[in-house]
Amino acid sequence: PNSMEIIKYNNYNSMDIINIIKQIGINYPDIKSEDIAIVFPNEKLDYKKIDELECLLYDELKMKANILHNTKEIIEGRISISNKNNIKGLEFPFVICVADYIVTRDLPIRNTLYMTLTRSFIASYLLIREDGNSEL
């Protein structure tokens, strides 16, 4: 497996994240929930996406979520979900970064993506919207 994987999508779907987690589980059978972080580095994050993902994680994988902007700490046995502000300084074996916005040459946007993707020490997955305007 690669240490960095870019996955392009047309319409955001939480099942894409579930499928990545399933693949991580196949590639790394000893994985624990707390080894994975899902980050939404958006400036204008729709927090309903996090609520939906939290339910889907449990329904599909029987994994409980740790919403970092609420708890401010890693919780054993729970997969971490964060916005860009609560992931800084933390490290995880695996990070799934969901960039559901157009990536441009704007320096703050690129710095945020870099900061998010470098939180992992085994592999990072970047889900990015494919729409011809991204400059990635």
Side-chain angles (χ1 to χ4, degrees):
N2 295 325
S3 63
M4 175 67 197
E5 190 170 333
I6 298 174
I7 301 154
K8 295 180 179 181
Y9 67 89
N10 290 317
N11 295 308
Y12 172 78
N13 184 337
S14 294
M15 278 306 295
D16 293 336
I17 298 168
I18 300 298
N19 291 332
I20 291 170
I21 295 168
K22 286 178 181 178
Q23 190 60 50
I24 292 170
I26 291 167
N27 294 338
Y28 302 89
D30 296 335
I31 189 96
K32 294 183 233 157
S33 297
E34 63 267 22
D35 292 338
I36 301 172
I38 302 163
V39 184
F40 293 85
N42 316 35
E43 277 299 321
K44 296 175 184 163
L45 175 58
D46 179 359
Y47 285 89
K48 289 180 197 166
K49 289 180 180 178
I50 290 178
D51 296 339
E52 175 192 303
L53 180 58
E54 181 178 16
C55 294
L56 198 59
L57 280 167
Y58 190 78
D59 291 346
E60 294 289 324
L61 303 173
K62 300 302 178 229
M63 291 179 134
K64 291 184 178 179
N66 170 27
I67 310 302
L68 282 175
H69 59 267
N70 292 334
T71 65
K72 310 286 191 221
E73 64 181 339
I74 306 299
I75 299 175
E76 191 174 322
R78 291 182 179 238
I79 190 165
S80 293
I81 304 175
S82 182
N83 58 21
K84 69 177 187 167
N85 300 320
N86 294 286
I87 198 71
K88 294 176 185 172
L90 299 176
E91 283 191 331
F92 299 86
F94 303 94
V95 169
I96 301 168
C97 176
V98 184
D100 59 348
Y101 52 88
I102 296 171
V103 176
T104 66
R105 294 191 181 274
D106 182 66
L107 196 55
I109 288 174
R110 288 185 173 263
N111 284 345
T112 298
L113 273 180
Y114 176 79
M115 180 273 301
T116 302
L117 293 169
T118 57
R119 300 297 96 205
S120 72
F121 54 86
I122 294 179
S124 290
Y125 300 82
L126 173 60
L127 270 78
I128 188 163
R129 197 165 73 190
E130 182 175 51
D131 62 18
N133 291 323
S134 288
E135 298 180 21
L136 196 61

